[in-house]
């Protein structure tokens, strides 16, 4: 054998294999998960349907050879008033990092699996909300579990229960709140918490190529990871400050309040949000695939890269955020009749667009301007959707 070929062969068997397309989250697998989880058999993933969803996730975790996250169990009972009052069940699996000096650092990839259940004969399938996020989590888990290169740091995959609302219909996030109060790892060892809620459609049904990422204002060092992972993907990421949503809209809330670096991915409220029409057939699978691949790239960087994100108390709002808001406002204005956007809102939106034009020309943004842009975003989110 030629010596050079021999060296190449030896190297090829020793070196970590590069990521190949086959290792990436895949649209047809994502579709399978969404179709199953949002089928009538799962009854909107509440009560009897939630029990089916739990079995499905545990089966998938087991097939991937993942370890249970909660002291030998894939389940964590979410309790209410006392230890006997079980109101829900979180699910979790893990891969322990291969680098002993890094294995106590954790990345958490979570998605809520519960939805609204049924009202009489009417089923709320929750394909976008949030079978799409769960499918992404399972696909990222598959690519990491099947990769010949084991991650340096540890990763937990978590399916949260009771995001939509508690057992008595009260405000949700009960599963993630319980998890953050009873974590299976030290909270200060969570390098990054990533969650996705509704990543298969588009805001208002019109921002077709846009996905929103919130949270990077507290750990701007992840932005190059996001940009790298998004390169060449058929989706435009709008990085927004979390304050634009006024309240915590998904499971990042309990992590945000504990100052744990987090990223929240969403394509926003579509016209079939929280309706029986949120069915698997109308999910944009190429978009879901692109977002899942971006999240896989970011998670991989957090697991293997030289640095772990550090929470920065003073949020950093880049000019790109203002530009992303302008894109959204312009698109909504283009469809103003369809959204029945009124005169006051149109004036506010046009004024804000002018301000952002000026900011872009100048290349700087004052904190007062940023506050006004965020207020406009809040008003529009509240009144248009
Ligand atoms: Zn949701």
């Amino acid at each position: 054998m030629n010596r050079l070929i021999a060296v190449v062969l030896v190297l090829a068997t020793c070196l970590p294999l590069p990521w190949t397309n086959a290792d990436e989250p895949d649209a047809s697998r994502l579709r399978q998960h969404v179709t199953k989880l949002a089928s009538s058999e799962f009854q909107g993933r509440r009560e009897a349907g939630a029990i089916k969803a739990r079995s499905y996730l545990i089966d998938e975790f087991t097939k991937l050879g993942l370890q249970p996250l909660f002291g030998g169990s894939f389940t964590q009972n979410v309790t209410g008033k006392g230890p006997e009052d079980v109101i829900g069940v979180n699910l979790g699996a893990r891969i322990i990092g291969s680098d002993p000096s890094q294995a106590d650092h954790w990345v958490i990839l979570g998605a809520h699996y519960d939805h609204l259940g049924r009202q009489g004969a009417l089923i709320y399938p929750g394909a976008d909300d949030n079978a799409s996020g769960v499918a992404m989590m399972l696909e990222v888990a598959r690519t990491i579990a099947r990769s010949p290169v084991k991650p340096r740091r540890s990763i937990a995959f978590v399916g949260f229960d009771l995001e939509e609302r508690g057992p008595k219909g009260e405000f949700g996030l009960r599963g993630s709140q319980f998890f953050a109060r009873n974590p299976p790892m030290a909270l200060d060892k969570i390098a990054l918490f990533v969650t996705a809620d509704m990543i298969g459609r588009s805001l208002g049904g019109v921002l077709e190529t846009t996905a929103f990422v919130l949270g990077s204002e507290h750990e701007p060092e992840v932005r190059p990871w996001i940009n790298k992972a998004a390169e060449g993907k058929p989706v435009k990421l709008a990085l927004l400050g979390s304050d634009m949503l006024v309240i915590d809209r998904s499971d990042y809330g309990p992590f945000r309040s504990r100052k744990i670096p987090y990223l929240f991915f969403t394509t926003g409220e579509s016209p079939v949000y929280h309706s029986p029409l949120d069915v698997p057939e109308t999910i944009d699978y190429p978009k879901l695939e692109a977002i899942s691949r971006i999240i896989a790239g970011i998670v991989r960087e957090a697991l293997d890269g030289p640095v772990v994100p550090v929470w920065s108390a003073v949020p950093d709002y880049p000019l790109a955020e203002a530009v992303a808001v302008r894109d959204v406002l312009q698109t909504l204005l283009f469809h103003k009749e369809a959204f029945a956007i009124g005169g006051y809102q149109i004036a506010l939106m046009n004024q804000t667009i002018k301000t952002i034009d000026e900011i872009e020309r100048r290349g700087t943004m004052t904190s007062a301007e940023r506050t006004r842009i965020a207020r406009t975003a809040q008003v529009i989110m509240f009144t248009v959707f």
Side-chain angles (χ1 to χ4, degrees):
M1 195 186 298
N2 177 312
R3 196 158 170 256
L4 183 63
I5 295 176
V7 169
V8 169
L9 279 178
V10 168
L11 279 178
T13 46
C14 302
L15 288 177
L17 293 170
W19 281 72
T20 63
N21 278 343
D23 298 317
E24 297 269 14
D26 166 82
S28 67
R29 291 171 189 269
L30 290 161
R31 181 194 289 266
Q32 279 172 25
H33 288 310
V34 172
T35 303
K36 188 77 181 165
L37 288 163
S39 67
S40 55
E41 180 195 345
F42 283 71
Q43 296 177 53
R45 301 184 302 283
R46 220 174 148 76
E47 286 143 17
I51 294 171
K52 290 220 159 144
R54 288 168 201 151
S55 305
Y56 184 81
L57 264 85
I58 292 170
D59 270 4
E60 293 298 314
F61 288 158
T62 308
K63 274 193 255 172
L64 293 172
L66 303 179
Q67 298 170 7
L69 181 61
F70 308 104
S73 171
F74 285 116
T75 62
Q76 177 188 51
N77 282 344
V78 178
T79 56
K81 287 199 193 77
E84 302 303 311
D85 181 27
V86 178
I87 57 174
V89 180
N90 289 331
L91 305 165
R94 66 179 196 184
I95 298 172
I96 296 293
S98 61
D99 179 344
S101 76
Q102 294 293 313
D104 65 338
H105 291 277
W106 287 82
V107 175
I108 299 179
L109 181 60
H112 81 82
Y113 69 88
D114 68 306
H115 192 54
L116 300 171
R118 51 192 303 168
Q119 273 179 5
L122 213 53
I123 295 175
Y124 288 73
D128 193 25
D129 188 6
N130 185 27
S132 66
V134 175
M136 174 281 295
M137 177 183 75
L138 291 173
E139 267 297 89
V140 175
R142 181 184 65 80
T143 62
I144 295 175
R146 294 274 189 256
S147 169
V149 190
K150 294 297 158 219
R152 290 174 63 214
R153 303 187 180 98
S154 299
I155 180 157
F157 303 100
V158 183
F160 294 110
D161 200 356
L162 303 177
E163 189 273 346
E164 299 287 4
R165 56 183 191 219
K168 296 190 185 78
E170 71 274 26
F171 184 73
L173 312 187
R174 296 290 298 269
S176 51
Q177 279 167 358
F178 187 87
F179 182 97
R181 279 201 306 274
N182 303 275
M185 72 284 287
L187 287 180
D188 63 355
K189 293 293 184 186
I190 301 174
L192 186 63
F193 173 84
V194 182
T195 191
D197 195 352
M198 306 193 291
I199 49 171
R201 285 209 183 89
S202 59
L203 182 66
V206 294
L207 283 127
E208 283 146 2
T209 56
T210 303
F212 300 95
V213 189
L214 285 78
S216 73
E217 68 272 22
H218 291 295
E219 64 280 347
E221 64 266 44
V222 304
R223 285 191 193 131
W225 308 357
I226 299 173
N227 293 337
K228 188 176 143 206
E231 226 173 63
K233 305 281 194 306
V235 64
K236 208 160 75 183
L237 294 185
L239 273 62
L240 303 183
S242 309
D243 58 336
M244 293 204 175
L245 290 183
V246 190
I247 57 159
D248 292 329
R249 289 294 302 271
S250 191
D251 293 311
Y252 61 91
F255 297 85
R256 178 193 191 197
S257 64
R258 287 168 174 80
K259 300 184 173 25
I260 294 165
Y262 68 91
L263 290 174
F264 168 49
F265 286 78
T266 184
T267 46
E269 284 185 22
S270 79
V272 297
Y273 172 74
H274 282 194
S275 94
L277 298 175
D278 184 7
V279 293
E281 292 76 19
T282 55
I283 293 290
D284 182 344
Y285 291 100
K287 186 176 187 179
L288 176 57
E289 177 187 86
I291 297 170
S292 301
R293 289 182 178 192
I294 292 168
I295 293 174
I298 295 164
V299 163
R300 200 77 211 185
E301 190 71 42
L303 287 170
D304 292 337
V307 291
V308 291
V310 176
W311 178 271
S312 136
V314 181
D316 173 76
Y317 302 115
L319 286 187
E321 183 202 42
V323 173
V325 170
R326 184 180 60 191
D327 278 356
V328 173
L329 295 179
Q330 282 170 335
T331 306
L332 295 178
L333 277 176
F334 185 78
H335 298 275
K336 57 179 182 288
E337 283 86 18
F339 290 111
I341 300 177
Y344 165 74
Q345 293 160 317
I346 292 173
L348 178 65
M349 289 161 87
N350 278 326
Q351 181 55 47
T352 306
I353 289 169
K354 254 171 70 187
T355 304
I356 297 171
D357 287 343
E358 165 58 24
I359 287 167
E360 198 183 30
R361 250 194 312 275
R362 202 193 310 141
T364 55
M365 174 169 57
T366 67
S367 66
E369 284 168 337
R370 199 299 166 165
T371 304
R372 279 205 302 278
I373 293 168
R375 286 234 180 90
T376 303
Q378 292 169 356
V379 168
I380 298 307
M381 289 304 284
F382 261 112
T383 55
V384 177
F385 300 104

